[in-house]
Amino acid sequence: MTGTRDTLNRLRALHAGTPRAVAAPTAAKAGPGRADFTTHPGYRQVAVARSAAAALDVENPFFRETEAVDGTQVRIGERWVENFSGYDYLSINGDPRLAAAVGAAVAEFGVSARASRLVGGDLSLHRRLETGLARFLGTEAALATVSGHATNLAAIRTLTGPGDVVLVDSFAHNSVFEGLRASGADHVSVPHNDSAWLEDWLSRNRERYDRVLIVVEGLYSMDGDIPDLAALVRIKDRFEAWLMVDEAHSVGVLGATGRGLCEEAGIAPGRVDLLMGTLSKTFCSCGGFLAGSEAAIEILRHSAPGFVYSVGLSVPNTAAALTALEILEAEPERVARLKARSARFLAASEAEGLDCGLGRGFAVAPLIVGDSLKATLASNRVFEDGFQAFPIIAPAVPNQKARLRFFINADHSEAAIDAAVASAAARIREVGGARF
């Protein structure tokens, strides 16, 4: 423990000196070097962090190279480890039906999506995917896009503007905040999952704005908790607002058949104005989608910059997502298995005395460590034990809420879950983490 304490103290000393070293100049200065990227504050900040880690022989846990994948295991540095950092929630990624469908689609259509769908036209695969998503989610229509991050940005940018207000849960994803900044609408950050605060604010301010958009996540990707959808629907109806739910991490995870927050809460999907999701998690592909009324989707189809001015979803990605959707619909037992594994991880963590934060046993499982330096050390030591779970550190979360984040997949064995929790408990205890 003494060695760990010394390392943490030296890291803190180095870290305390970084703000002055990387602070951006208040005004442009004459002289050479302004076109040199190495003088950019962002580069200097990365350089300082790398120097500190190198000086203390602390391995950077980020951007590790994965050499091979086999189910829930990955090979890194010629060593197989159990991976708890993947989004393959329903363990569909390795299903041979995906590879077969992608191969068949490529043989028929080639690889490229050719052009923007507005001018190049839709592939039949695109329409099948969108029809399938709308049917599965219970909405009138859906639209598939090439990037999950850009989907949130484009939707908010398109639907709101000056004279409107976007009320965003303070724990929402970066893509939501990027979208509202681009929109020109006013922005209000709502305390996390505080529907009473939201209702009070709207009761005092609603008449100042034309359109109001409320944005929440179906399953919060850093904390593993969910919002009170019934309360949000009641509030949006009362104040004639739109409600948008980011279902990136909740489709395939929440609800008896994986249909997301609406199914989990027992709310008809039509009561929510816009559902956003990604194709990179449960659907084992890459891209995003929006689902809602015909009118909402028509606006986005013809006006959203991230769709109109972007190439269509590629053939392999479309075929993979469509096939994963078909597997999910046909095999809801995958959802039940994921729920059981997630509940086991939460129960085991609580039995070890770990701080699970706001986690509810919904596939996203945070273990609060404390400060960012402790979280990094704990993550590296868990990796040494054969389990990959990355640290989430400041500024992504408050420094004293730094954590290890585990993503549970349906095919994680009970033995692997128990061993991972035991490793995390021992290693967090070593670094003096939360609850120890």
Side-chain angles (χ1 to χ4, degrees), residues 137 228-231 233 243 261-272:
L137 296 171
D228 183 346
L229 185 61
V233 168
L243 175 61
L261 182 62
C262 289
E263 185 179 37
E264 183 74 26
I267 302 291
R271 302 293 303 281
V272 176

Side-chain angles (χ1 to χ4, degrees), residues 42-58:
Y43 181 87
R44 290 159 60 190
Q45 185 173 8
V46 171
V48 168
R50 285 178 175 169
S51 296
L56 295 168
D57 196 26
V58 176

Side-chain angles (χ1 to χ4, degrees), residues 180-367:
L180 67 88
R181 276 190 280 269
S183 73
D186 281 359
H187 156 228
V188 176
S189 183
V190 180
H192 181 54
N193 276 346
D194 194 337
S195 55
W197 189 99
L198 172 65
E199 186 166 19
D200 177 68
W201 190 93
L202 282 169
S203 69
R204 292 180 287 105
N205 295 281
R206 174 63 181 93
E207 296 310 313
R208 296 170 51 198
Y209 298 98
D210 183 8
R211 297 180 179 86
V212 173
L213 174 64
I214 301 166
V215 185
V216 299
E217 291 190 19
L219 174 62
Y220 285 90
S221 60
M222 296 294 178
D223 293 87
D225 62 334
I226 64 176
D228 183 346
L229 185 61
L232 291 168
V233 168
R234 178 181 58 79
I235 292 168
K236 76 100 177 177
D237 285 346
R238 175 186 172 189
F239 294 101
E240 295 184 288
W242 289 327
L243 175 61
M244 176 177 173
V245 178
D246 179 338
E247 297 260 42
H249 289 268
S250 47
V251 170
V253 174
L254 298 182
T257 60
R259 284 171 165 81
L261 182 62
C262 289
E263 185 179 37
E264 183 74 26
I267 302 291
R271 302 293 303 281
V272 176
D273 299 281
L274 198 63
L275 300 174
M276 174 271 173
T278 57
L279 301 175
S280 57
K281 300 174 178 65
T282 289
F283 298 119
C284 301
S285 182
C286 190
F289 66 85
L290 294 155
S293 68
E294 290 278 5
I297 298 305
E298 279 300 288
I299 293 169
L300 295 164
R301 187 187 304 276
H302 291 89
S303 304
F307 180 80
V308 173
Y309 298 104
S310 178
V311 71
L313 196 63
S314 75
V315 170
N317 282 326
T318 309
L322 176 59
T323 306
L325 172 61
E326 292 169 347
I327 292 172
L328 168 55
E329 287 188 284
E331 301 175 6
E333 61 271 17
R334 290 176 180 267
V335 180
R337 190 163 71 249
L338 173 62
K339 290 179 182 292
R341 297 294 190 269
S342 300
R344 186 182 186 93
F345 188 97
L346 178 64
S349 298
E350 291 177 338
E352 286 279 7
L354 292 165
D355 183 350
C356 300
L358 301 176
R360 297 267 304 274
F362 289 130
V364 178
L367 297 180

